């Protein structure tokens, strides 16, 4: 049996506190950079950070967050006001956004790999409600509680807009960084590449995106647009919409962030006048919400398509896609009078790995098998996992049959190499059944059945070998497909 893998060391409280403090300092400075009216920031990143602290660290992180908020604001505020405004402000923030984070915690942990449309909607609504509550509470905190009635609306809106923009900008970034750049990055990149390879029109989509981005730059930065400028700037949401619909949340959000930077940076750098802070905040909110919702609907469709066509463990084609592909390749082979091969691969001794090292180790081995198979064939060949430890390879456009012998040999050699599974090393081999079109089967059904039979013959003969169907002396199923070579 494998010795249990030691748990990954968790960072200590002190280092967590330092990281949190550094994050709050950055968020505070980032928000201050966009303070376009005295005490009114276009976005308040601290709100998003507190929600993220609740989502990632749970309720234990919240007292720490409260202390961090007070500490980072200390140098920027007169000491007298600290006991009232700052502590009360920190408590308000932690109570509302921390609670929102705790509420989102379970959902976020489940949806760590992607924002589904449902999750994106849910998150947007929670952000909206939390920012409304927080802005409402702010009016009861000094010095805002002594403001005249007429000014309360403006204060409420600037708090609400800044907090909501800050949440919508920051939380998805944190969640996506956590989920996507973690240990599964490699498989994510592979899945991403595969998905792109599958989608046609990539070049025109990119051109469309570049055109939309240029349009935004012109709209947002050209002062000649004069009065129409601020109103037209809402069209800067266009590239975000295009990017999100074409490529999903992650890409859409990157474009949204760039768009927000393009909108905010000139204001902050050149101290340009801003007509209405709320307008600007609303644009940021609309931009980020568009990226989330449009991107999530794209990701949902992609997810469904992947589910229907790919094996989620290995990223290879699944049985359904394999069936489509073999029919398609057979049609091509008949039309061009090419021969085609089907390899039916079943691992030898895989159950023992599962039994000895556990299901997770078995899964890791299957993923490595998939990677190794990919090194043995061309990109145009189709590798599928039919289920369990059964794989198939379709080799279309065969120049001559000797190629199959070589590939079969490569596969056997590759799959025999030891598998490093964490702290243990496992060994398996493979039995391969080979059926060639047209000699070993005209139809997909014949070809699959005959390759499967040849694979069982390889097992019977002692495993770790490839057997060609035509070479087996087996009872005849159909006269044509079982004729000896
Ligand atoms: N880890 C893991 N195991 C799986 C998965 N799907 C099926 N299995 C297991 O794979 C094993 C396949 O059984 P067999 O094909 O009989 O295993 P084997 O030891 O290779 O036997 P031979 O094919 O006779 O050499 C079974 O124990 C299944 O429970 C999966 O997705 N992950």
């Amino acid at each position: 049996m494998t010795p249990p893998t030691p748990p990954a060391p968790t960072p200590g409280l002190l280092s967590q506190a330092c990281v949190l403090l550094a994050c709050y300092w950055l968020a505070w400075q980032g928000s201050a950079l966009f303070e376009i009216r005295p005490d009114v920031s276009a976005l308040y990143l601290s709100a998003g950070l507190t929600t993220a602290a609740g989502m990632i660290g749970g309720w234990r992180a919240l007292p720490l967050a409260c202390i961090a908020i007070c500490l980072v604001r200390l140098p920027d505020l007169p000491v007298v006001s600290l006991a009232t405004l700052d502590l009360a402000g920190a408590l308000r923030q932690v109570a509302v956004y921390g609670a929102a984070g705790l509420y989102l915690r379970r959902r976020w942990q489940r949806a760590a790999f992607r924002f589904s449309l449902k999750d994106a909607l849910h998150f947007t609504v929670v952000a909206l409600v939390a920012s409304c509550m927080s802005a409402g509470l702010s009016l009861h905190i000094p010095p805002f509680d002594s403001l005249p009635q007429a000014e309360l609306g403006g204060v409420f809106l600037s708090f609400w807009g800044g907090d909501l923009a800050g949440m919508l900008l920051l939380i998805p970034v944190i969640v996506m960084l956590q989920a996507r750049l973690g240990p599964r990055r490699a498989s994510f990149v592979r899945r991403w590449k595969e998905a792109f390879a599958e989608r046609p029109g990539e070049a025109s989509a990119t051109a469309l995106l570049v055109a939309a981005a240029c349009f935004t730059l012109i709209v947002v930065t050209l002062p000649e647009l004069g009065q129409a400028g601020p109103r037209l700037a809402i069209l800067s949401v266009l590239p975000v919409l295009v990017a999100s619909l074409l490529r999903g949340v992650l890409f859409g959000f990157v474009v949204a962030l760039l768009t927000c930077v393009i909108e905010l940076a000139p204001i902050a750098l050149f101290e340009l006048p801003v007509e209405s802070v709320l307008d600007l905040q609303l644009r940021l909110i609309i931009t980020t919400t568009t990226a989330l919702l449009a991107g999530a609907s794209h990701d949902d469709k992609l997810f469904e398509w992947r589910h229907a066509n790919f094996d989620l463990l290995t990223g290879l084609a699944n049985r359904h896609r394999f069936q489509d592909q073999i029919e398609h390749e057979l049609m091509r082979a008949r039309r061009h009078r090419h021969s085609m091969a089907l390899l039916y691969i079943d691992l030898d001794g895989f159950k023992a790995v599962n039994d000895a090292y556990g299901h997770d180790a078995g899964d890791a081995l299957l993923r490595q098998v998939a990677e190794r198979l990919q090194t043995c064939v061309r990109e145009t060949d189709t590798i599928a996992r039919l289920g369990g430890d059964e794989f198939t390879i379709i080799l279309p456009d065969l120049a001559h049959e000797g190629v199959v012998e070589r590939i079969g040999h490569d596969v056997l050699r590759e799959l025999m190499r030891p598998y490093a599974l964490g702290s243990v090393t496992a060994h398996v081999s493979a039995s391969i059944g080979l059926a060639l079109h047209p000699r070993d089967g005209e139809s997909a059904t014949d070809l699959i059945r005959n390759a499967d039979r040849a694979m069982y013959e390889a097992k019977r003969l002692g495993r770790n070998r490839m057997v060609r169907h035509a070479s087996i002396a087996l009872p005849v199923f159909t006269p044509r497909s079982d004729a000896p070579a």
Side-chain angles (χ1 to χ4, degrees), residues 78-239:
V79 177
V80 250
S81 65
L82 195 79
T84 52
L85 171 68
D86 229 25
L87 185 59
L91 282 176
R92 163 191 63 89
Q93 201 188 120
V94 169
V96 178
Y97 296 122
L102 294 184
Y103 173 73
L104 288 169
R105 188 172 159 79
R106 280 187 61 197
R107 180 174 280 267
W108 170 73
Q109 280 174 338
R110 250 192 316 111
F113 288 106
R114 64 193 195 93
F115 269 106
S116 69
L117 183 55
K118 216 167 125 202
D119 288 323
L121 269 171
H122 196 91
F123 164 71
T124 311
V125 170
V126 170
L128 193 70
V129 172
S131 54
C132 284
M133 281 172 63
S134 174
L137 279 178
S138 301
L139 303 182
H140 301 283
I141 293 175
F144 306 109
D145 57 347
S146 53
L147 287 175
Q149 197 74 25
E151 287 181 31
L152 290 183
V155 170
F156 176 89
L157 285 178
S158 61
F159 267 95
W160 171 76
D163 283 13
L164 185 52
M167 280 182 94
L168 292 173
L169 270 164
L170 197 61
I171 299 177
V173 175
I174 295 175
V175 169
M176 284 189 279
L177 278 179
Q178 274 270 103
R180 309 224 184 214
L181 300 182
R184 299 183 193 235
R185 191 175 68 91
S187 69
F188 168 70
V189 171
R190 202 190 61 227
R191 290 201 312 255
W192 176 301
K193 273 191 189 160
E194 278 172 10
F196 281 2
E198 286 293 333
R199 256 173 293 152
E202 204 62 13
S204 46
T206 310
L208 192 57
L209 189 60
V210 170
C214 293
F215 173 74
T216 307
L217 261 176
I218 294 167
V219 163
V220 175
T221 53
L222 260 194
E224 291 89 88
L225 285 170
Q227 286 300 309
R231 275 193 208 106
L232 274 177
I234 193 63
L235 294 176
S236 63
V237 89
L238 194 65

Side-chain angles (χ1 to χ4, degrees), residues 311 313 346-355 358-364 366 385 387-390 428-429 431 455-456 459 463:
D311 167 41
L313 178 67
D346 188 283
L347 300 183
D348 307 322
F350 175 63
K351 189 168 179 301
V353 177
N354 256 348
D355 293 346
H359 214 76
D360 285 349
D363 284 355
L366 292 174
R385 177 175 172 236
D389 60 352
E390 284 182 1
V428 293
S429 58
S431 298
M455 184 273 291
Y456 276 107
K459 293 256 182 216
R463 297 156 199 262

Side-chain angles (χ1 to χ4, degrees), residues 358-425:
H359 214 76
D360 285 349
D363 284 355
L365 188 142
L366 292 174
R367 278 194 289 267
Q368 288 186 36
V369 166
E371 279 161 20
R372 292 182 192 189
L373 289 178
Q374 277 159 338
T375 64
C376 299
V377 296
R378 298 168 300 184
E379 278 191 3
T380 45
D381 300 332
T382 302
I383 311 173
R385 177 175 172 236
L386 302 191
D389 60 352
E390 284 182 1
F391 297 83
T392 51
I393 302 179
I394 304 170
L395 303 167
D397 305 329
L398 278 185
H400 56 90
E401 293 179 5
V403 175
V404 187
E405 298 286 327
R406 184 189 53 74
I407 293 175
H409 207 263
D410 287 353
V411 169
L412 289 173
R413 197 193 54 226
E414 274 299 309
L415 298 190
M416 257 181 79
R417 286 197 296 111
Y419 295 81
L421 308 172
S423 53
V424 295
T425 305

